[in-house]
Amino acid sequence: MLVTGKQILDHAHENNYAVGAFNVNNMEQVQAIIQAAEETQSPVIMQASQGALKYAGVEYISAMVKTAAENSSVPVALHLDHGTDFKQIVKCIRNGFTSVMIDASKMPLEGNIDTTKKIVEIAHAAGVSVEAEIGKIGGTEDDITVDERDATFTDPEEAVKLVNETGLDSLAIAVGTAHGVYKGEPKLDFDRIVTIKEKLNIPLVLHGSSGVPEESIKKAVERGINKINIDTDIRMAFNEAIRDFVKNDPDAYDPRKIVGPARDAMKEVIKEKMTMFGSAGKAWK
Ligand code: G3H
Ligand code: ZN
């Protein structure tokens, strides 16, 4: 069933667990995610970046995710990941997205507040939830890059201001993770998560979560993270399965035979994440 981002994240916040938000670009990813959610009885967020919308088209992404959600009993939200463009955000809302992210984190605080406020006003009028971001998460997510030297952790007082002045529903915070593949082991600032959670008492979001060790993920969830974004780990599972298949059967030409095993490989990775995040068994009717 299709629900709003707020319904999913408020439930996670009230029950102290995190929901996986998995990036989608094609049908196999949508199917892998919904099958994993059903097999673990987990609420789930399927999200599309601006790059994914450019690649597949907003109508295709929306139709695929809505089809998956409507044919399933687990709660599913359709979310725009790292929205930076007003028109694109409105297009998503008009196409049935139940949640959008406005990423104005590159702006100074006042600009971030003004931009987020404007999106909250139109999204809430349409019954759509809003995630915003404060602090700068390093690395590259599709068309958004933040150089490691420019990455900055979230200031808790600035976070309070952004939440109070905009009425957003969930907040992405920078606490030591980065988008893409890690060179070394990420060091998370767990105390900062605790401080921000105590001050805000709303659902918190962790970006750049692929490759973060299980122990760190669990500690982050215990301290108040309720949405965990995963893109790179799914891409890796997809690539590895396709490469293996083609290596073993270089003459294969049926796309279903080549891509089918990749769908299964992605599903297994997603199921592991759902269990790790504590969302398994938390689906409600
Ligand atoms: O917004 C998407 C996620 O933050 C992706 O992070 O590159 O670690 O999978 P990832
Ligand atoms: Zn991200």
PDB file of all heavy atoms in Angstrom, residues 257-280:
ATOM      1  N   LYS A 257      17.703 -13.510 -18.808  1.00  0.00           N
ATOM      2  CA  LYS A 257      18.670 -14.432 -18.195  1.00  0.00           C
ATOM      3  C   LYS A 257      19.837 -13.665 -17.587  1.00  0.00           C
ATOM      4  O   LYS A 257      20.420 -14.075 -16.592  1.00  0.00           O
ATOM      5  CB  LYS A 257      19.178 -15.412 -19.248  1.00  0.00           C
ATOM      6  CG  LYS A 257      18.126 -16.409 -19.661  1.00  0.00           C
ATOM      7  CD  LYS A 257      18.752 -17.707 -20.117  1.00  0.00           C
ATOM      8  CE  LYS A 257      17.669 -18.762 -20.296  1.00  0.00           C
ATOM      9  NZ  LYS A 257      17.640 -19.297 -21.633  1.00  0.00           N
ATOM     10  N   ILE A 258      20.173 -12.531 -18.194  1.00  0.00           N
ATOM     11  CA  ILE A 258      21.334 -11.756 -17.720  1.00  0.00           C
ATOM     12  C   ILE A 258      20.959 -10.906 -16.503  1.00  0.00           C
ATOM     13  O   ILE A 258      21.683 -10.850 -15.512  1.00  0.00           O
ATOM     14  CB  ILE A 258      21.887 -10.853 -18.858  1.00  0.00           C
ATOM     15  CG1 ILE A 258      22.297 -11.731 -20.054  1.00  0.00           C
ATOM     16  CG2 ILE A 258      23.054  -9.997 -18.373  1.00  0.00           C
ATOM     17  CD1 ILE A 258      22.614 -10.961 -21.328  1.00  0.00           C
ATOM     18  N   VAL A 259      19.798 -10.260 -16.560  1.00  0.00           N
ATOM     19  CA  VAL A 259      19.423  -9.311 -15.508  1.00  0.00           C
ATOM     20  C   VAL A 259      18.677  -9.993 -14.344  1.00  0.00           C
ATOM     21  O   VAL A 259      18.737  -9.521 -13.207  1.00  0.00           O
ATOM     22  CB  VAL A 259      18.601  -8.130 -16.096  1.00  0.00           C
ATOM     23  CG1 VAL A 259      18.335  -7.063 -15.044  1.00  0.00           C
ATOM     24  CG2 VAL A 259      19.345  -7.489 -17.265  1.00  0.00           C
ATOM     25  N   GLY A 260      18.023 -11.127 -14.641  1.00  0.00           N
ATOM     26  CA  GLY A 260      17.262 -11.837 -13.592  1.00  0.00           C
ATOM     27  C   GLY A 260      18.100 -12.156 -12.356  1.00  0.00           C
ATOM     28  O   GLY A 260      17.697 -11.844 -11.221  1.00  0.00           O
ATOM     29  N   PRO A 261      19.310 -12.755 -12.533  1.00  0.00           N
ATOM     30  CA  PRO A 261      20.133 -13.050 -11.351  1.00  0.00           C
ATOM     31  C   PRO A 261      20.554 -11.783 -10.588  1.00  0.00           C
ATOM     32  O   PRO A 261      20.731 -11.815  -9.366  1.00  0.00           O
ATOM     33  CB  PRO A 261      21.369 -13.744 -11.941  1.00  0.00           C
ATOM     34  CG  PRO A 261      20.933 -14.247 -13.283  1.00  0.00           C
ATOM     35  CD  PRO A 261      19.881 -13.304 -13.772  1.00  0.00           C
ATOM     36  N   ALA A 262      20.686 -10.682 -11.309  1.00  0.00           N
ATOM     37  CA  ALA A 262      21.042  -9.412 -10.650  1.00  0.00           C
ATOM     38  C   ALA A 262      19.892  -8.951  -9.756  1.00  0.00           C
ATOM     39  O   ALA A 262      20.111  -8.418  -8.656  1.00  0.00           O
ATOM     40  CB  ALA A 262      21.374  -8.347 -11.690  1.00  0.00           C
ATOM     41  N   ARG A 263      18.667  -9.177 -10.221  1.00  0.00           N
ATOM     42  CA  ARG A 263      17.496  -8.822  -9.400  1.00  0.00           C
ATOM     43  C   ARG A 263      17.510  -9.629  -8.095  1.00  0.00           C
ATOM     44  O   ARG A 263      17.294  -9.093  -7.008  1.00  0.00           O
ATOM     45  CB  ARG A 263      16.217  -9.092 -10.193  1.00  0.00           C
ATOM     46  CG  ARG A 263      14.948  -8.761  -9.440  1.00  0.00           C
ATOM     47  CD  ARG A 263      13.732  -8.884 -10.316  1.00  0.00           C
ATOM     48  NE  ARG A 263      13.559 -10.224 -10.864  1.00  0.00           N
ATOM     49  CZ  ARG A 263      12.673 -10.537 -11.806  1.00  0.00           C
ATOM     50  NH1 ARG A 263      11.887  -9.615 -12.314  1.00  0.00           N
ATOM     51  NH2 ARG A 263      12.575 -11.781 -12.254  1.00  0.00           N
ATOM     52  N   ASP A 264      17.818 -10.934  -8.206  1.00  0.00           N
ATOM     53  CA  ASP A 264      17.874 -11.776  -6.995  1.00  0.00           C
ATOM     54  C   ASP A 264      18.997 -11.323  -6.057  1.00  0.00           C
ATOM     55  O   ASP A 264      18.830 -11.302  -4.834  1.00  0.00           O
ATOM     56  CB  ASP A 264      18.119 -13.240  -7.381  1.00  0.00           C
ATOM     57  CG  ASP A 264      16.950 -13.801  -8.192  1.00  0.00           C
ATOM     58  OD1 ASP A 264      15.846 -13.226  -8.114  1.00  0.00           O
ATOM     59  OD2 ASP A 264      17.158 -14.789  -8.916  1.00  0.00           O
ATOM     60  N   ALA A 265      20.143 -10.955  -6.643  1.00  0.00           N
ATOM     61  CA  ALA A 265      21.284 -10.523  -5.817  1.00  0.00           C
ATOM     62  C   ALA A 265      20.943  -9.231  -5.067  1.00  0.00           C
ATOM     63  O   ALA A 265      21.261  -9.074  -3.882  1.00  0.00           O
ATOM     64  CB  ALA A 265      22.518 -10.316  -6.696  1.00  0.00           C
ATOM     65  N   MET A 266      20.268  -8.312  -5.743  1.00  0.00           N
ATOM     66  CA  MET A 266      19.879  -7.053  -5.083  1.00  0.00           C
ATOM     67  C   MET A 266      18.899  -7.346  -3.950  1.00  0.00           C
ATOM     68  O   MET A 266      19.003  -6.774  -2.861  1.00  0.00           O
ATOM     69  CB  MET A 266      19.252  -6.087  -6.096  1.00  0.00           C
ATOM     70  CG  MET A 266      20.236  -5.547  -7.118  1.00  0.00           C
ATOM     71  SD  MET A 266      19.551  -4.237  -8.160  1.00  0.00           S
ATOM     72  CE  MET A 266      18.415  -5.120  -9.215  1.00  0.00           C
ATOM     73  N   LYS A 267      17.968  -8.255  -4.203  1.00  0.00           N
ATOM     74  CA  LYS A 267      16.970  -8.587  -3.171  1.00  0.00           C
ATOM     75  C   LYS A 267      17.654  -9.090  -1.895  1.00  0.00           C
ATOM     76  O   LYS A 267      17.281  -8.691  -0.791  1.00  0.00           O
ATOM     77  CB  LYS A 267      15.997  -9.650  -3.701  1.00  0.00           C
ATOM     78  CG  LYS A 267      14.896  -9.968  -2.719  1.00  0.00           C
ATOM     79  CD  LYS A 267      13.911 -10.990  -3.243  1.00  0.00           C
ATOM     80  CE  LYS A 267      14.413 -12.386  -2.984  1.00  0.00           C
ATOM     81  NZ  LYS A 267      13.432 -13.426  -3.375  1.00  0.00           N
ATOM     82  N   GLU A 268      18.662  -9.936  -2.052  1.00  0.00           N
ATOM     83  CA  GLU A 268      19.346 -10.482  -0.869  1.00  0.00           C
ATOM     84  C   GLU A 268      20.024  -9.377  -0.065  1.00  0.00           C
ATOM     85  O   GLU A 268      19.952  -9.346   1.164  1.00  0.00           O
ATOM     86  CB  GLU A 268      20.356 -11.572  -1.277  1.00  0.00           C
ATOM     87  CG  GLU A 268      19.705 -12.854  -1.783  1.00  0.00           C
ATOM     88  CD  GLU A 268      18.561 -13.367  -0.886  1.00  0.00           C
ATOM     89  OE1 GLU A 268      18.750 -13.434   0.349  1.00  0.00           O
ATOM     90  OE2 GLU A 268      17.479 -13.701  -1.412  1.00  0.00           O
ATOM     91  N   VAL A 269      20.688  -8.454  -0.766  1.00  0.00           N
ATOM     92  CA  VAL A 269      21.355  -7.334  -0.078  1.00  0.00           C
ATOM     93  C   VAL A 269      20.312  -6.494   0.672  1.00  0.00           C
ATOM     94  O   VAL A 269      20.508  -6.108   1.835  1.00  0.00           O
ATOM     95  CB  VAL A 269      22.121  -6.443  -1.095  1.00  0.00           C
ATOM     96  CG1 VAL A 269      22.586  -5.143  -0.454  1.00  0.00           C
ATOM     97  CG2 VAL A 269      23.305  -7.210  -1.680  1.00  0.00           C
ATOM     98  N   ILE A 270      19.199  -6.230   0.027  1.00  0.00           N
ATOM     99  CA  ILE A 270      18.153  -5.384   0.634  1.00  0.00           C
ATOM    100  C   ILE A 270      17.551  -6.066   1.867  1.00  0.00           C
ATOM    101  O   ILE A 270      17.313  -5.413   2.896  1.00  0.00           O
ATOM    102  CB  ILE A 270      17.081  -5.041  -0.429  1.00  0.00           C
ATOM    103  CG1 ILE A 270      17.723  -4.184  -1.533  1.00  0.00           C
ATOM    104  CG2 ILE A 270      15.898  -4.314   0.193  1.00  0.00           C
ATOM    105  CD1 ILE A 270      16.941  -4.136  -2.839  1.00  0.00           C
ATOM    106  N   LYS A 271      17.340  -7.380   1.782  1.00  0.00           N
ATOM    107  CA  LYS A 271      16.794  -8.105   2.945  1.00  0.00           C
ATOM    108  C   LYS A 271      17.736  -8.004   4.149  1.00  0.00           C
ATOM    109  O   LYS A 271      17.306  -7.784   5.287  1.00  0.00           O
ATOM    110  CB  LYS A 271      16.560  -9.577   2.589  1.00  0.00           C
ATOM    111  CG  LYS A 271      15.257  -9.806   1.834  1.00  0.00           C
ATOM    112  CD  LYS A 271      15.129 -11.202   1.290  1.00  0.00           C
ATOM    113  CE  LYS A 271      14.950 -12.250   2.361  1.00  0.00           C
ATOM    114  NZ  LYS A 271      14.722 -13.593   1.764  1.00  0.00           N
ATOM    115  N   GLU A 272      19.038  -8.148   3.866  1.00  0.00           N
ATOM    116  CA  GLU A 272      20.028  -8.028   4.965  1.00  0.00           C
ATOM    117  C   GLU A 272      19.945  -6.657   5.615  1.00  0.00           C
ATOM    118  O   GLU A 272      20.000  -6.514   6.830  1.00  0.00           O
ATOM    119  CB  GLU A 272      21.443  -8.170   4.396  1.00  0.00           C
ATOM    120  CG  GLU A 272      21.961  -9.576   4.328  1.00  0.00           C
ATOM    121  CD  GLU A 272      23.319  -9.624   3.629  1.00  0.00           C
ATOM    122  OE1 GLU A 272      24.122  -8.684   3.793  1.00  0.00           O
ATOM    123  OE2 GLU A 272      23.536 -10.610   2.886  1.00  0.00           O
ATOM    124  N   LYS A 273      19.804  -5.619   4.770  1.00  0.00           N
ATOM    125  CA  LYS A 273      19.745  -4.247   5.298  1.00  0.00           C
ATOM    126  C   LYS A 273      18.479  -4.076   6.159  1.00  0.00           C
ATOM    127  O   LYS A 273      18.526  -3.469   7.224  1.00  0.00           O
ATOM    128  CB  LYS A 273      19.711  -3.218   4.164  1.00  0.00           C
ATOM    129  CG  LYS A 273      20.897  -3.259   3.236  1.00  0.00           C
ATOM    130  CD  LYS A 273      22.138  -2.649   3.853  1.00  0.00           C
ATOM    131  CE  LYS A 273      23.292  -2.628   2.854  1.00  0.00           C
ATOM    132  NZ  LYS A 273      24.583  -2.389   3.487  1.00  0.00           N
ATOM    133  N   MET A 274      17.360  -4.609   5.684  1.00  0.00           N
ATOM    134  CA  MET A 274      16.106  -4.436   6.422  1.00  0.00           C
ATOM    135  C   MET A 274      16.213  -5.058   7.821  1.00  0.00           C
ATOM    136  O   MET A 274      15.729  -4.490   8.806  1.00  0.00           O
ATOM    137  CB  MET A 274      14.945  -5.039   5.627  1.00  0.00           C
ATOM    138  CG  MET A 274      14.604  -4.191   4.412  1.00  0.00           C
ATOM    139  SD  MET A 274      13.467  -4.998   3.294  1.00  0.00           S
ATOM    140  CE  MET A 274      12.909  -3.585   2.332  1.00  0.00           C
ATOM    141  N   THR A 275      16.861  -6.211   7.879  1.00  0.00           N
ATOM    142  CA  THR A 275      17.047  -6.862   9.178  1.00  0.00           C
ATOM    143  C   THR A 275      17.992  -6.027  10.050  1.00  0.00           C
ATOM    144  O   THR A 275      17.724  -5.782  11.227  1.00  0.00           O
ATOM    145  CB  THR A 275      17.616  -8.284   8.957  1.00  0.00           C
ATOM    146  OG1 THR A 275      16.747  -8.962   8.045  1.00  0.00           O
ATOM    147  CG2 THR A 275      17.708  -9.067  10.247  1.00  0.00           C
ATOM    148  N   MET A 276      19.089  -5.563   9.436  1.00  0.00           N
ATOM    149  CA  MET A 276      20.079  -4.751  10.163  1.00  0.00           C
ATOM    150  C   MET A 276      19.469  -3.447  10.717  1.00  0.00           C
ATOM    151  O   MET A 276      19.767  -3.017  11.815  1.00  0.00           O
ATOM    152  CB  MET A 276      21.208  -4.403   9.177  1.00  0.00           C
ATOM    153  CG  MET A 276      22.415  -3.746   9.762  1.00  0.00           C
ATOM    154  SD  MET A 276      23.519  -3.107   8.454  1.00  0.00           S
ATOM    155  CE  MET A 276      23.951  -4.538   7.543  1.00  0.00           C
ATOM    156  N   PHE A 277      18.571  -2.831   9.938  1.00  0.00           N
ATOM    157  CA  PHE A 277      17.996  -1.535  10.338  1.00  0.00           C
ATOM    158  C   PHE A 277      16.881  -1.683  11.382  1.00  0.00           C
ATOM    159  O   PHE A 277      16.427  -0.701  11.960  1.00  0.00           O
ATOM    160  CB  PHE A 277      17.408  -0.802   9.124  1.00  0.00           C
ATOM    161  CG  PHE A 277      18.392  -0.523   8.008  1.00  0.00           C
ATOM    162  CD1 PHE A 277      17.950  -0.162   6.741  1.00  0.00           C
ATOM    163  CD2 PHE A 277      19.764  -0.612   8.220  1.00  0.00           C
ATOM    164  CE1 PHE A 277      18.854   0.096   5.717  1.00  0.00           C
ATOM    165  CE2 PHE A 277      20.679  -0.360   7.193  1.00  0.00           C
ATOM    166  CZ  PHE A 277      20.214  -0.010   5.945  1.00  0.00           C
ATOM    167  N   GLY A 278      16.392  -2.931  11.565  1.00  0.00           N
ATOM    168  CA  GLY A 278      15.326  -3.162  12.550  1.00  0.00           C
ATOM    169  C   GLY A 278      13.925  -2.976  11.981  1.00  0.00           C
ATOM    170  O   GLY A 278      12.950  -2.945  12.727  1.00  0.00           O
ATOM    171  N   SER A 279      13.794  -2.874  10.645  1.00  0.00           N
ATOM    172  CA  SER A 279      12.449  -2.673  10.079  1.00  0.00           C
ATOM    173  C   SER A 279      11.736  -3.991   9.782  1.00  0.00           C
ATOM    174  O   SER A 279      10.519  -3.994   9.548  1.00  0.00           O
ATOM    175  CB  SER A 279      12.510  -1.820   8.804  1.00  0.00           C
ATOM    176  OG  SER A 279      13.163  -2.522   7.764  1.00  0.00           O
ATOM    177  N   ALA A 280      12.493  -5.108   9.767  1.00  0.00           N
ATOM    178  CA  ALA A 280      11.869  -6.415   9.485  1.00  0.00           C
ATOM    179  C   ALA A 280      10.796  -6.708  10.533  1.00  0.00           C
ATOM    180  O   ALA A 280      11.030  -6.532  11.744  1.00  0.00           O
ATOM    181  CB  ALA A 280      12.934  -7.507   9.473  1.00  0.00           C
TER     182      ALA A 280
END
